[in-house]
């Protein structure tokens, strides 16, 4: 079990208010994988099941959500009572070998202490011919975040947490995966306004929990001043989808 440097049980109380499900994320997953009805899917690090629920609605498959935080799973069950959820670390997936058709994680890899071990677990529970996708961000994409402009201290923090894409590809290959590829995606632009400010104020992004109180206060003041001056910046989130086959 990993050491939690962030209290995700507490974060779960506000998570849905600041981090809704992303239909564009699910659309990109389905564009690169032809899901068959009845497929068995595992969402590793499902949080409050936002994307778990969306993927379940978009397919005729059984999607199981796995997360270490009991607080996140309480919210997931309340929102998606017909869903199936398991509390466990990604490094210790409590399922037998070779049963899932698809195993994925979205913006979770940087929360895992032993990434190579978690990848080996994902490989173990996949059936032969099954696919996996790890949605993450490259170090350049981290620099391009809008939060990086207001909170520059978060750049190095997250570059230390997120593996380089080539390193992640190597981990997948070392675990036994083949056909390892990646695709960079730029999502549709969104207007950053009061909703974004509320997300930041409530530290809805995990890296904001890792900077000093002074750095957070300074960045929050810069953001408020920018919005008060009438700035309405657009932001297009950037992600890297890393795919592999067992």
């Amino acid at each position: 079990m990993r050491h939690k440097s962030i209290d995700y049980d507490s974060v779960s109380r506000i998570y849905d208010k600041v981090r809704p499900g992303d239909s564009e994320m699910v659309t990109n997953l389905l564009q690169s994988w032809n899901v068959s009805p009845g497929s068995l899917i595992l969402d590793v690090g499902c949080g409050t099941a936002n994307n778990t629920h969306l993927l379940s609605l978009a397919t005729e498959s059984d999607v199981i959500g796995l997360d270490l935080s009991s607080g996140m799973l309480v919210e997931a069950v309340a929102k998606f009572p017909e869903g199936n959820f398991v509390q466990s670390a990604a490094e210790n997936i409590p399922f037998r070998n070779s049963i899932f058709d698809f195993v994925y994680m979205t913006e979770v890899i940087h929360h895992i202490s032993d990434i190579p071990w978690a990848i080996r677990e994902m490989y173990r529970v996949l059936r032969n011919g099954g696919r996996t996708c790890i949605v993450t961000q490259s170090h350049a994409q981290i620099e391009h975040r809008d939060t990086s402009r207001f909170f520059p201290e978060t750049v190095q923090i997250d570059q230390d947490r997120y593996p380089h894409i080539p390193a992640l590809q190597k981990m997948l290959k070392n675990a036994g995966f083949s056909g390892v590829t990646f695709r960079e995606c730029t999502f549709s632009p969104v207007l950053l306004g009061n909703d974004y400010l509320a997300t930041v104020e409530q530290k809805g992004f995990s890296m904001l929990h890792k900077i000093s109180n002074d750095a957070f206060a300074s960045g929050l003041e810069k953001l408020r001043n920018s919005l008060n001056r009438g700035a309405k910046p657009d932001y297009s989130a950037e992600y890297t989808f890393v795919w592999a086959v067992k």
Side-chain angles (χ1 to χ4, degrees), residues 32 133-134 136 138 141 165-166 168-169 172 179-185 239-244:
S32 299
C133 184
I134 297 174
T136 183
S138 69
Q141 288 170 333
I165 301 303
L168 183 55
Q169 290 180 283
L172 286 160
V180 180
T181 60
F182 73 92
R183 178 169 57 89
E184 294 181 336
C185 296
Y239 296 103
T240 300
F241 289 67
V242 184
W243 287 89

Side-chain angles (χ1 to χ4, degrees), residues 1-2 40-46 64-68 85-100 102-105 108 112 114-126 132 134 177:
M1 302 292 280
R2 63 177 169 77
L40 186 59
I41 301 171
L42 181 64
D43 182 354
V44 179
C46 66
I64 297 176
L66 179 146
D67 203 277
L68 182 58
F85 301 100
V86 175
Q87 184 180 7
S88 181
E91 299 94 329
N92 186 31
I93 298 176
F95 292 99
R96 59 184 173 84
N97 298 349
S98 307
I99 63 169
F100 289 98
F102 181 43
V103 178
Y104 74 99
M105 61 171 67
V108 173
I112 296 173
D114 193 334
I115 295 173
W117 191 271
I119 289 174
R120 287 195 291 271
E121 279 289 272
M122 294 169 70
Y123 181 87
R124 179 183 64 78
V125 299
L126 266 175
T132 191
I134 297 174
F177 283 101

Side-chain angles (χ1 to χ4, degrees), residues 46-58:
C46 66
T48 62
N50 287 325
N51 290 327
T52 320
H53 193 198
L54 288 175
L55 188 61
S56 178
L57 291 175

